[in-house]
Amino acid sequence: MTGTIRIIGIDPGLRRTGWGVIDVTGNRLAFVACGTVTSDDKADLATRLASLHRGLTDVLAAWSPEEAAVEQTFVNKDATATLKLGQARGIAMVVPALAGIPVAEYEPNKVKKSVVGAGHAEKNQIHMMIGILLPKADPKTMDAADALAIAVTHAHHRTGPGRR
């Protein structure tokens, strides 16, 4: 008999950080919750990062995940935007780590391939597949849908204690 593992997927962003929680029992996936933590884009960077930290800390306290998965940063042409995304990603990794939750990382193409079957899928394809894989899920934002996709990817690729 395999126990249930609760996984949180986190799609980091400075303006909007998506999160999605699923329960995994054997090969069965069950939607638990999802949402988006936001920061005020008119605030200074430190205040925005603190808002993301507080928001994710509240999410972890509310849903008690046992494992976390975060999407890796892709590098784009705007170095400043990439750096800011990296800082938000740092918050997304450190909040679960401080709570004693192991954190896995997945490349965007691996997430897309795991959920849609193609590494270059569009966001609307991910959103549609989340509806098929997790029928009770109704993410209000693409960021929340992406976070659920990250959690599903982790459910398919995770290793360690409790994994068959």
Side-chain angles (χ1 to χ4, degrees):
M1 181 86 186
T2 304
T4 299
I5 299 293
R6 180 158 287 181
I7 297 172
I8 184 167
I10 303 173
D11 182 32
L14 186 56
R15 192 176 316 137
R16 292 177 310 275
T17 291
W19 59 270
V21 179
I22 64 172
D23 282 343
V24 181
T25 308
N27 291 329
R28 191 177 69 77
L29 306 177
F31 170 74
V32 175
C34 67
T36 307
V37 175
T38 60
S39 71
D40 179 359
D41 61 356
K42 292 176 180 38
D44 63 274
L45 181 60
T47 300
R48 294 177 75 183
L49 293 171
S51 292
L52 296 177
H53 187 282
R54 277 190 301 276
L56 285 175
T57 299
D58 291 347
V59 169
L60 293 183
W63 300 106
S64 304
E66 298 163 87
E67 297 180 10
V70 177
E71 189 171 62
Q72 289 180 343
T73 303
F74 63 90
V75 178
N76 59 36
K77 294 176 185 171
D78 183 350
T80 302
T82 301
L83 181 60
K84 288 180 180 178
L85 175 59
Q87 291 168 325
R89 188 171 172 278
I91 296 297
M93 293 181 70
V94 79
V95 169
L98 286 172
I101 300 168
V103 180
E105 302 174 66
Y106 296 97
E107 295 173 352
N109 284 349
K110 185 166 191 159
V111 173
K112 292 173 182 177
K113 189 167 187 166
S114 295
V115 174
V116 178
H120 297 287
E122 299 294 325
K123 282 194 176 279
N124 61 347
Q125 291 174 296
I126 293 170
H127 197 269
M128 182 194 69
M129 285 303 297
I130 287 301
I132 292 168
L133 295 170
L134 302 167
K136 293 183 180 178
D138 185 24
K140 304 295 184 222
T141 66
M142 289 293 189
D143 302 292
D146 287 350
L148 286 169
I150 294 161
V152 168
T153 299
H154 183 62
H156 291 306
H157 297 282
R158 61 185 281 274
T159 58
R163 180 70 176 161
R164 288 189 285 157

